[in-house]
Amino acid sequence: MNLALSGTLQRWLTGPRVSGLPQPTELPPPALSFEFFPPKNEALEQQLWAAIRRLEPLAPRFVSVTYGAGGSTRARTHETVSRLARETSLTPAAHLTCVGATCEEVDEVARGYLDAGVRHIVALRGDPPAGASRYEPHPGGYAQAEDLVRGLRRIADFDISVGAYPETHPAATSAAMDLDFLKRKIDAGATRAITQYFFDTDIYLRFLDRCAAAGITVPIVPGILPVSNFKQVQKFSAMCGASVPAWMARLFEGLEEDAETRRLIAAVVAAEQVRLLQANGVDEFHFYTLNRADLAYAIAHLLGVRPKAAG
């Protein structure tokens, strides 16, 4: 027994020391932004606005509202973004895609946002409409996101965000070509890129190195997805090209019927991911909220982000 203890203690004393992450108090609170999707019915609308009101006091840099495949939620997106501009203190950012509309129709939507006081657009190529196996440019429409960015620049001095893919867009023929697409979107006038979510921090940091080598100098804001439904994330990740590490599968193993524990794990994992990125100098993060505020709010609190006093 004493020998076993001695051996254990010896291992503890002589093993390599791993320095911990910086304490939250040693780092300034990061800048955050949040993404929502437009509601499909009244119950989901109430859930969305409860989430918005819960996160509003955190004073995010902006909140974005997505656009369904093929422009299927165009009217609901516009309504949600316009209401955000009218009724909240938040800075709304509207997603806009190239799919299913002519250049004139897209320009009209952009001018409508301008009239509603919206100055931030997330310009995306967009996913193929339901039933389509691949993306095809609309006749008379913007062919790619870089064309949409140029079109928006002709309309007004929008703040324009575009998408970036640390693990390469699934439709790209190579990582080099995907990076070239990003560079062209930036050169066309985008002011920042927001990444697809990722779970391996090294993937994002290596991507930053590649962006810098390509001459990209705008912020590449990491997209953070708190995972509370692991099986759902596995399915979606297979479609969008994001890898799911084996360690994450082990964390959620056996919790299919235990939603509360999954939420606790999701908050810890996402906060640790952000703190590791902060330790590497990253100070801005975009959270995919899935219209649920509880996780995003808890993670923000862990990171030192606190509600701003009204007035």
Side-chain angles (χ1 to χ4, degrees):
M1 181 69 175
N2 288 339
L3 286 174
L5 265 178
S6 175
T8 300
L9 185 57
Q10 171 117 11
R11 189 176 72 251
W12 290 354
L13 292 173
T14 60
R17 293 288 186 261
V18 178
S19 58
L21 292 173
Q23 293 298 318
T25 52
E26 296 173 10
L27 296 168
L32 303 181
S33 54
F34 300 117
E35 181 169 298
F36 304 103
F37 57 83
K40 294 181 179 178
N41 56 49
E42 187 175 341
L44 291 176
E45 182 162 359
Q46 291 177 357
Q47 177 182 303
L48 166 64
W49 283 94
I52 289 170
R53 294 302 185 186
R54 173 80 163 135
L55 296 173
E56 183 178 8
L58 299 181
R61 289 194 63 179
F62 63 89
V63 294
S64 66
V65 182
T66 64
Y67 210 58
S72 56
T73 64
R74 181 183 303 168
R76 288 193 294 272
T77 298
H78 192 282
E79 181 180 342
T80 303
V81 169
S82 298
R83 185 177 169 188
L84 280 164
R86 287 193 316 269
E87 299 181 14
T88 75
S89 62
L90 297 165
T91 299
H95 283 220
L96 196 56
T97 73
C98 304
V99 178
T102 65
C103 294
E104 291 75 16
E105 289 169 333
V106 173
D107 290 353
E108 184 180 353
V109 172
R111 291 190 182 96
Y113 283 131
L114 202 61
D115 292 341
V118 177
R119 299 291 183 273
H120 188 168
I121 301 289
V122 181
L124 305 166
R125 189 201 71 178
D127 297 323
S133 59
R134 52 177 292 181
Y135 170 78
E136 293 289 347
H138 187 278
Y142 292 113
Q144 299 291 341
E146 66 173 291
D147 306 305
L148 175 56
V149 171
R150 288 194 193 91
L152 291 170
R153 279 274 166 258
R154 286 194 293 268
I155 294 170
D157 187 25
F158 285 111
D159 185 5
I160 303 175
S161 297
V162 293
Y165 297 84
E167 299 181 82
T168 307
H169 191 284
T173 57
S174 69
M177 175 174 284
D178 196 39
L179 188 63
D180 182 58
F181 269 112
L182 176 59
K183 178 72 161 57
R184 283 153 54 178
K185 290 186 286 189
I186 303 302
D187 291 345
T191 47
R192 81 177 52 73
I194 300 170
T195 76
Q196 175 64 277
Y197 67 82
F198 56 91
F199 302 114
D200 182 345
T201 300
D202 284 344
I203 288 173
Y204 170 80
L205 295 175
R206 288 196 299 268
F207 181 65
L208 280 190
D209 291 337
R210 293 177 55 233
C211 287
I216 295 171
T217 58
V218 303
I220 311 293
V221 181
I224 306 296
L225 177 66
V227 176
S228 58
N229 187 329
F230 180 70
K231 287 194 171 181
Q232 187 179 66
V233 166
Q234 274 186 310
K235 290 179 182 178
F236 188 72
S237 298
M239 295 186 291
C240 71
S243 62
V244 179
W247 58 259
M248 180 170 280
R250 287 196 296 273
L251 285 181
F252 288 97
E253 188 176 7
L255 297 178
E256 290 80 8
E257 305 302 322
D258 190 346
E260 183 60 28
T261 302
R262 293 202 310 267
R263 282 194 292 271
L264 292 169
I265 291 173
V268 171
V269 169
E272 186 176 69
Q273 180 184 19
V274 170
R275 289 183 62 220
L276 182 55
L277 289 167
Q278 279 188 289
N280 282 277
V282 183
D283 59 3
E284 184 177 352
F285 302 89
H286 185 72
F287 277 82
Y288 298 108
T289 70
L290 305 181
N291 289 12
R292 295 186 180 278
D294 51 354
L295 273 177
Y297 193 94
I299 295 161
H301 188 89
L302 287 169
L303 300 172
V305 178
R306 299 291 187 269
K308 302 295 188 292

